[in-house]
């Protein structure tokens, strides 16, 4: 079952044309990722400041299908998936609240790699992350 995150679009999220600035969609998706970790019992402070392991994004993409404006209520659904022993990806669907049955306003994807925070070499995904994925994966 995908994790669902609700968010209101703020004026600061928009560009001069009054629509959500493209990079801010990724920021909103990352908020959803953080919320899903917390909801699964992951200590966010320990997770993001771990001196031994990091999970940098190695790829990100967004497709837009309809504009989003300040005041719009969004529902962001995310589904993580393990790709290899040291990589995972998160698929996001962004809906205007109340229009979930319809077409999404945007779709995004982030790909992450697990690395040793000191040597910057790849390492196996942590058990915390594996448990989080098992709780959310379809």
């Amino acid at each position: 079952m995908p994790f669902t995150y609700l968010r209101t679009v703020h004026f600061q999220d928009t560009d001069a044309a009054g629509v959500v600035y493209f990079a801010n969609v990724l920021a909103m998706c990352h908020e959803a990722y953080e919320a899903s970790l917390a909801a699964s019992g992951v200590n966010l402070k320990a997770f993001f400041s771990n001196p031994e392991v990091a999970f940098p994004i190695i790829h990100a993409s967004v497709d837009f299908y309809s504009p989003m404006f300040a005041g719009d209520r969004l529902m962001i659904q995310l589904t993580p998936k393990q790709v290899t022993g040291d990589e995972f990806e998160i698929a996001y669907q962004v809906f205007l609240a109340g229009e979930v049955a319809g077409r999404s306003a945007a779709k995004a994807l982030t790909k992450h790699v697990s690395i040793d925070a000191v040597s910057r070499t790849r390492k196996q995904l942590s058990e915390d992350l594996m448990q989080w994925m098992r709780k959310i994966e379809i």
Side-chain angles (χ1 to χ4, degrees):
M1 177 73 87
F3 177 82
T4 299
Y5 178 70
L6 300 175
R7 187 182 191 288
T8 300
V9 175
H10 302 284
F11 177 71
Q12 71 184 13
D13 297 322
T14 64
D15 61 16
V19 297
V20 171
Y21 182 65
F22 75 96
N24 288 339
V25 172
L26 286 172
M28 292 177 208
C29 289
H30 203 278
E31 286 177 25
Y33 165 46
E34 293 177 35
S36 72
L37 289 168
S40 294
V42 173
N43 178 316
L44 293 180
K45 184 175 182 180
F47 183 83
F48 287 112
S49 63
N50 188 329
E52 297 175 11
V53 66
F55 305 99
I57 294 173
I58 58 172
H59 173 81
S61 63
V62 183
D63 293 314
F64 298 92
Y65 303 108
S66 66
M68 295 166 275
F69 301 95
D72 282 349
R73 290 286 297 157
L74 303 179
M75 181 168 56
I76 303 170
Q77 293 183 336
L78 70 85
T79 305
K81 179 176 99 174
Q82 183 176 358
V83 178
T84 66
D86 59 11
E87 289 184 18
F88 69 99
E89 65 184 29
I90 307 171
Y92 303 89
Q93 286 201 41
V94 181
F95 296 95
L96 294 170
E99 297 183 26
V100 179
R103 186 173 181 174
S104 57
K107 289 184 181 179
L109 179 75
T110 56
K111 293 182 181 181
H112 307 248
V113 65
S114 175
I115 62 169
D116 180 285
V118 176
S119 69
R120 309 309 271 183
T121 58
R122 290 175 178 250
K123 68 185 288 182
Q124 293 294 309
L125 295 172
S126 68
E127 186 53 36
D128 281 0
L129 205 61
M130 297 298 292
Q131 287 179 5
W132 165 72
M133 281 191 278
R134 283 191 291 270
K135 288 180 181 178
I136 300 174
E137 274 185 321
I138 295 177

